[in-house]
Amino acid sequence: MTVIVSLDRFAAETLRTAIGPDTDILDSLQDVGGHLASHPAESVIVVAPSIDMEAALALAESLRVAKPHIGVVLVRQRVDSTLLAEALRCGVRDVVGDRDLAAVSHAVRRARELAGRMRQYSDEDLREEETRRGRVITVFSAKGGAGKTTLSTNLAATLADGGKRQVCIVDLDLAFGDVSIALQLFPAHTISDAVPLADTLDVSGLQALLTQHSPGLFALSAPLEPGQAEHIPASLVTDLLTILRNQFDFVVIDTPPAFTDHVLAAFDISDVVALLATLDIPAVKNLKLSLETLELLNYPRERWRVVLNRADSKVGLDINEVAKSLHLTIAAQIPSSRAVPASINRGVPIALDEPQHPVSQAIRLFAEQHVLPAAGAGHAAIPASLRTDRRGLLRRKAKQI
Ligand SMILES: Nc1ncnc2c1ncn2[C@@H]1O[C@H](COP(=O)(O)OP(=O)(O)OP(=O)(O)O)[C@@H](O)[C@H]1O
Ligand SMILES: [Mg+2]
């Protein structure tokens, strides 16, 4: 059930057309308490533009403590990033413009879904949920175009398995991320919207920034403008990932082709780092340097997995020779197929569209053998004492990569 609070009856009726007939209308915030007492199943409160902003935020703040499952959706005539940040900080689940009725409907639907999920848990379950640790998997390659976005989006879809597990894919390719394109998502919010929330970031604030792709699969999208990356501190990435791994069974991270501070923050919190390579000399050289860099950073070896993409390409390099010369085992081999770019152009992961395709099967096998087995167990975060002075180390290394 949903309730609209509005001083303006006509505006309330317009909102009701977007939300659905099963919606009550109150003409004062004062009536909300009584309404909630007599309607315990209420899950979403839509606050219309005619209601004073401060009073609406005070309501959201008090509900966040007293009835955290109830979502407040704020409808305003103008939505800007300052308003959004302030609202999310107070516990508002979403802020939408009053003329965008599709966004209003979408925001209410998401708030209802979240309320439903939060209700599923008793207080005891909630406590357990807060301390639960999902697994974090970072997909990385120091060379561009190796297939990171392909593997990360398909791995996330494979793990979600139509809603069997809760998975969030995080696009840490902050300048040129294309997870949204590969999944054909139109994100209302991106990781940039988390910047003003920084210290007050919590589960409901972060949930509001996610975009749902399909049952069990959510995305935290990269900023829409490349320049915004520099405003996102690495510490924020650590905070975001920490909250997400407590909420999701799996967090899959797509990365840019460089050892940025954001990528290092992701490595620190990851249970598995999938290092992608292809069978060409520059890629093998980059893989070698990446492995050396990870070693230099004291990154535990048992967490690396080398994944060969386009493994069947006949380009003169032998897989076994490469593995032998680098003293490593190849965890997975993904074949080359024209179906891959075609699936990206369609915006549907090949793992969902063609689950029996050899590419989908290879990714499923990787998930089953290297990602799923220790689900729930998790590794400890890498202690700060193990992390050497990275900037100096990487500066020297960057000259080589
Ligand atoms: N197994 C494969 N077979 C055929 N084409 C592939 C395969 N894997 C990836 N590709 C194609 O290679 C291109 C690069 O892939 P992708 O975008 O996943 O790489 P990336 O590592 O994320 O690149 P970037 O470093 O630019 O982010 C895409 O056009 C993709 O469709
Ligand atoms: Mg990419």
Side-chain angles (χ1 to χ4, degrees):
M1 279 282 286
T2 301
V3 59
I4 299 169
V5 193
S6 176
L7 301 179
D8 175 346
R9 189 79 198 184
F10 179 74
E13 290 297 348
T14 307
L15 289 174
R16 177 144 65 182
T17 57
I19 297 166
D22 186 19
T23 305
D24 290 327
I25 296 177
L26 302 177
D27 48 22
S28 156
L29 271 186
Q30 265 82 51
D31 299 338
V32 169
H35 178 86
L36 293 181
S38 55
H39 296 78
E42 202 65 88
S43 56
V44 184
I45 300 176
V46 178
V47 182
S50 52
I51 300 291
D52 172 66
M53 175 77 174
E54 269 184 31
L57 295 186
L59 171 77
E61 265 195 310
S62 67
L63 284 175
R64 167 199 230 167
V65 178
K67 295 183 189 293
H69 65 277
I70 295 186
V72 174
V73 173
L74 196 58
V75 183
R76 298 284 99 172
Q77 278 161 350
R78 268 192 61 237
V79 180
D80 58 36
S81 54
T82 316
L83 168 68
L84 179 70
E86 195 183 352
L88 293 181
R89 212 179 290 130
C90 291
V92 168
R93 203 136 295 157
D94 218 333
V95 185
V96 281
D98 63 346
R99 268 169 285 177
D100 191 350
L101 292 180
V104 172
S105 155
H106 187 62
V108 169
R109 213 170 41 243
R110 277 165 34 120
R112 275 193 198 138
E113 278 166 14
L114 181 59
R117 276 173 50 199
M118 287 174 83
R119 268 185 194 282
Q120 273 175 6
Y121 305 112
S122 65
D123 286 351
E124 200 178 305
D125 286 338
L126 258 182
R127 273 198 296 279
E128 202 177 286
E129 179 85 352
E130 272 161 15
T131 53
R132 192 187 70 180
R133 279 260 278 105
R135 297 201 98 201
V136 182
I137 303 98
T138 296
V139 177
F140 179 74
S141 160
K143 186 166 176 285
K148 296 178 292 296
T149 305
T150 304
L151 177 60
S152 55
T153 49
N154 279 285
L155 181 62
T158 302
L159 291 168
D161 200 5
K164 278 200 200 124
R165 303 181 199 93
Q166 297 294 311
V167 180
C168 184
I169 179 162
V170 178
D171 195 347
L172 276 193
D173 190 351
L174 298 175
F176 301 108
D178 42 19
V179 165
S180 297
I181 291 173
L183 294 177
Q184 213 173 48
L185 296 174
F186 303 95
H189 304 299
T190 71
I191 197 167
S192 287
D193 296 314
V195 175
L197 300 176
D199 297 339
T200 52
L201 196 69
D202 64 4
V203 176
S204 67
L206 184 49
Q207 286 268 3
L209 305 183
L210 306 182
T211 311
Q212 183 162 15
H213 173 268
S214 50
L217 181 55
F218 295 78
L220 179 56
S221 298
L224 303 175
E225 307 283 332
Q228 292 176 22
E230 64 201 55
H231 303 300
I232 299 171
S235 59
L236 179 65
V237 170
T238 304
D239 292 346
L240 290 168
L241 296 177
T242 306
I243 298 176
L244 287 174
R245 80 170 170 190
N246 288 342
Q247 293 300 306
F248 286 86
D249 298 316
F250 293 94
V251 179
V252 179
I253 303 166
D254 190 15
T255 56
F259 283 97
T260 62
D261 283 348
H262 304 114
V263 168
L264 295 178
F267 283 170
D268 283 344
I269 216 167
S270 293
D271 300 286
V272 176
V273 172
L275 288 171
L276 261 182
T278 46
L279 271 181
D280 51 280
I281 301 277
V284 171
K285 183 206 98 182
N286 273 298
L287 173 64
K288 183 169 176 283
L289 291 172
S290 297
L291 291 167
E292 286 169 4
T293 306
L294 286 175
E295 225 151 45
L296 217 61
L297 295 171
N298 282 322
Y299 195 79
R301 237 176 194 279
E302 68 273 13
R303 298 190 197 179
W304 318 345
R305 298 290 183 280
V306 174
V307 176
L308 211 53
N309 192 18
R310 303 193 180 105
D312 53 348
S313 306
K314 305 271 180 291
V315 287
L317 280 186
D318 181 80
I319 297 180
N320 298 323
E321 292 285 314
V322 170
K324 213 167 109 194
S325 70
L326 295 184
H327 307 291
L328 50 84
T329 46
I330 309 278
Q333 298 185 22
I334 303 171
S336 183
S337 168
R338 263 186 291 173
V340 173
S343 74
I344 290 183
N345 290 341
R346 273 199 309 279
V348 185
I350 188 167
L352 292 182
D353 227 11
E354 301 174 63
Q356 296 317 319
H357 192 283
V359 168
S360 311
Q361 287 185 355
I363 293 171
R364 195 159 56 244
L365 194 65
F366 174 66
E368 285 166 3
Q369 293 183 336
H370 297 279
V371 182
L372 281 171
H379 288 291
I382 298 179
S385 57
L386 271 181
R387 300 185 223 138
T388 35
D389 172 20
R390 297 158 145 183
R391 289 196 167 276
L393 290 173
L394 290 179
R395 225 175 288 126
R396 266 184 284 134
K397 206 74 195 154
K399 293 198 182 107
Q400 297 173 274
I401 294 186

